[in-house]
Amino acid sequence: MDPGDDLSTRADVAEQPADGKKFTFPSALTILALVTLAVWALAFLVPPGAYDRDEEGAPLQGTYHRVDSDQSFTDRLNDLFLSPVNGLYGVQDAETGEVGPDLAGELYGSAGVFLFVLAIGAFITVVFATGALDRGIGRLAHRLRDRGALLIAGVMLVFALLGTVEGFAEETLGFYGLIIPLMLALGYDRMVATGTIILGAGIGVLCSTVNPFATGVASSAADISLGDGIVLRAIMWVVLTAVTIAYVVRYAGRVRRNPERSLSGFLPGDRDHNATDAEEPPRLTRLHQVILILVALVFAFMIFSVVPWSSALTGDADATPYGFELGWSFPQLAALFLVAAVLVGVVARFGEQRLSATIIQGAADFISPALVIVLARGVTVIMNNAQITDTVLHSIEGVVSGTSSALFAVFVFLVNLPLAFLIPSTSGHATLAMPILAPLADFAGVSRAVVVTAWQAASGWMNLWVPTTAVTIGGVALAKIGYDRYLRFVWPLLAILAVLICGFVALGAVWT
């Protein structure tokens, strides 16, 4: 998980010109600030409207009607000024539907998700500070150094597992120095190492099951449980991970048999490595083993706590919850990861000063994705108070009306592809898109969980190749291969994955 921008941190994409100037893609915060201004301005042009709603607050299809807005220019200016505040802890008035920081009603802001991101940031930072995860992956790679295909599959599987549960992506940049020499020593090229790292973690994030920065934020914005849809996402993870591993292993075998077929070529000295020369990483200490077990238990318990087991096991969305179900959401999960961070620090014998400093640093490193969520939620507050959200929803209602549920699910995937590129933040993209997409699912008779799955698949698919993703552009730079060559390597897999994703979300829409 990238501390700066939840997997979608954008890197500089232009080459350094001779005059020293370079193009820098705007940060997620800058993009969302511009989106906020644009939506605020458009709210003067879009007519206000509203749907009739059921007891749960969901809009009723076919009930849209125009309404008169009593907002003055001063009111609208105040909404713009307070949008970040409302995005954090704005409260929605039950009678008027207006959102403001000093109203009475239900919390509309993203304070719960905001704290959750900071809490998991603290936990992940404490875990990495112990060195247990890095050393564990290093030991795995070294142990499998003389079994090439198994090494590729093992590393990709670990990365994919970490990606699906906690958004592991940017952290992979630290493994190129280890993986590239091992792959070269086994007769492979630098593209094999690059594919193993980028695609291993990337396919995990694409098929996120409980990844808090993708599935978690999107589920919260869609007003569903983090565990809703986990069965479909888990099946997707198994199948798409297997396909991706097979793709990389097949290319690796081809290069090993015929090095001239390498897409990346070889640099001077690349063919001089030998697997037996690879330096053995330090062994896992008993402490490291205990910490890795603790981390596995924490994430396993998180999955257990959020899954609606009765619905998942019976297939009935309205099934009575079992007695052992916890039904946890973001407040409880935030507390879980804060406690877990302290526990790991205590077990690692950090001491009070170091543990406190590491937790604070972890929360600070993750303030950027947390603020992105707040700003994106602030945009929805502007739309809500100007009463144009339902108007936008109504304009898209006609597109999905009469379509099959399977076709609607594919439509959600496709429409989010360009959005994933234009909105450079996974969390921001989710927070902006879900208030529109989730009610559309109700109109199409599709589970909101399928919309979340289709959305995150689009975001993850784009992040496997777009040149503005730090994981991709940083990875090819560290591997010293051309970005154009990486595209030649990955595009057939992208086509296969796109077809499989459309099939899965269509099946999920029909199934649910």
Side-chain angles (χ1 to χ4, degrees):
M1 165 57 207
D2 172 31
D5 189 24
D6 68 65
L7 173 67
S8 297
T9 296
R10 288 342 197 196
D12 299 341
V13 297
E15 296 291 334
Q16 180 85 16
D19 60 2
K21 296 181 179 179
K22 61 181 181 180
F23 169 76
T24 302
F25 197 92
S27 69
L29 294 174
T30 301
I31 291 292
L32 283 172
L34 295 174
V35 170
T36 301
L37 289 172
V39 170
W40 181 77
L42 285 173
F44 287 94
L45 304 177
V46 178
Y51 281 95
D52 294 336
R53 299 183 180 268
D54 60 21
E55 296 178 354
E56 297 180 354
L60 299 174
Q61 188 173 11
T63 63
Y64 173 81
H65 55 280
R66 296 285 178 86
V67 296
D68 295 326
S69 175
D70 57 358
Q71 272 198 320
S72 65
F73 179 80
T74 302
D75 293 332
R76 292 175 182 261
L77 198 60
N78 186 61
D79 280 344
L80 176 64
F81 178 65
L82 290 177
S83 61
V85 177
N86 283 325
L88 179 62
Y89 63 88
V91 175
Q92 186 171 37
D93 184 272
E95 295 183 2
T96 65
E98 183 181 358
V99 177
D102 52 1
L103 299 177
E106 293 187 1
L107 179 67
Y108 189 89
S110 55
V113 183
F114 178 87
L115 180 58
F116 174 57
V117 169
L118 299 186
I120 198 171
F123 173 73
I124 291 173
T125 303
V126 171
V127 170
F128 272 98
T130 68
L133 192 58
D134 298 59
R135 187 174 294 189
I137 295 174
R139 291 291 301 175
L140 172 67
H142 184 76
R143 178 167 293 185
L144 300 177
R145 67 191 183 280
D146 56 349
R147 287 171 283 181
L150 193 57
L151 171 61
I152 294 170
V155 173
M156 291 185 71
L157 188 61
V158 171
F159 284 174
L161 184 61
L162 293 171
T164 194
V165 299
E166 61 102 342
F168 187 85
E170 296 288 347
E171 296 87 347
T172 60
L173 296 176
F175 289 96
Y176 281 85
L178 169 67
I179 302 298
I180 289 177
L182 279 173
M183 294 300 178
L184 293 175
L186 292 169
Y188 303 129
D189 63 1
R190 293 172 178 265
M191 190 68 76
V192 174
T194 305
T196 298
I197 298 172
I198 294 179
L199 299 178
I203 200 66
V205 175
L206 187 157
C207 302
S208 294
T209 49
V210 290
N211 172 11
F213 307 100
T215 315
V217 174
S219 297
S220 175
D223 197 26
I224 61 174
S225 164
L226 177 60
D228 287 344
I230 194 172
V231 174
L232 174 63
R233 295 193 294 268
I235 296 173
M236 280 184 63
W237 180 84
V238 171
V239 174
L240 269 62
T241 298
V243 169
T244 304
I245 291 175
Y247 182 85
V248 177
V249 169
R250 179 176 179 272
Y251 170 82
R254 186 179 69 190
V255 170
R256 194 174 191 178
R257 291 189 299 270
N258 186 359
E260 293 182 357
R261 300 188 67 181
S262 168
L263 293 177
S264 63
F266 296 91
L267 298 177
D270 280 357
R271 310 302 302 276
D272 300 335
H273 290 80
N274 188 301
T276 59
D277 297 334
E279 182 179 352
E280 182 177 2
R283 292 182 178 276
L284 284 173
T285 65
R286 180 64 60 85
L287 179 60
H288 286 144
Q289 294 173 1
V290 172
I291 289 172
L292 289 176
I293 292 173
L294 278 176
V295 171
L297 289 176
V298 168
F299 280 108
F301 183 76
M302 178 187 73
I303 295 172
F304 170 79
S305 68
V306 301
V307 171
W309 291 102
S310 58
S311 300
L313 297 177
T314 65
D316 181 6
D318 298 321
T320 303
Y322 296 137
F324 62 82
E325 289 186 36
L326 296 180
W328 279 14
S329 188
F330 292 102
Q332 294 88 351
L333 292 178
L336 169 66
F337 281 105
L338 285 175
V339 172
V342 173
L343 179 60
V344 170
V346 170
V347 170
R349 303 186 187 95
F350 274 9
E352 185 274 333
Q353 291 289 331
R354 184 184 177 191
L355 177 56
S356 299
T358 306
I359 289 176
I360 292 171
Q361 183 61 51
D365 287 344
F366 280 67
I367 194 68
S368 178
L371 286 177
V372 161
I373 295 169
V374 169
L375 288 183
R377 191 60 170 171
V379 175
T380 67
V381 171
I382 290 175
M383 296 176 65
N384 176 84
N385 288 357
Q387 296 179 285
I388 65 171
T389 302
D390 284 0
T391 302
V392 175
L393 178 59
H394 176 65
S395 67
I396 309 176
E397 179 186 349
V399 177
V400 300
S401 295
T403 62
S404 66
S405 55
L407 185 61
F408 170 77
V410 174
F411 165 80
V412 172
F413 170 72
L414 295 177
V415 79
N416 274 288
L417 293 176
L419 286 177
F421 182 84
L422 294 173
I423 303 175
S425 163
T426 302
S427 299
H429 179 191
T431 310
L432 280 172
M434 282 302 148
I436 301 297
L437 296 177
L440 277 178
D442 298 337
F443 293 165
V446 175
S447 167
R448 293 189 174 198
V450 174
V451 171
V452 170
T453 301
W455 162 82
Q456 71 178 30
S459 178
W461 187 87
M462 291 293 288
N463 278 298
L464 291 176
W465 68 273
V466 290
T468 49
T469 304
V471 175
T472 299
I473 207 66
V476 298
L478 288 170
K480 297 180 181 179
I481 62 176
Y483 174 68
D484 59 327
R485 298 190 179 189
Y486 173 74
L487 289 182
R488 286 178 58 193
F489 163 72
V490 80
W491 78 259
L493 176 64
L494 292 173
I496 295 170
L497 292 178
V499 172
L500 289 174
I501 290 168
C502 289
F504 269 113
V505 296
L507 180 63
V510 174
W511 177 30
T512 56

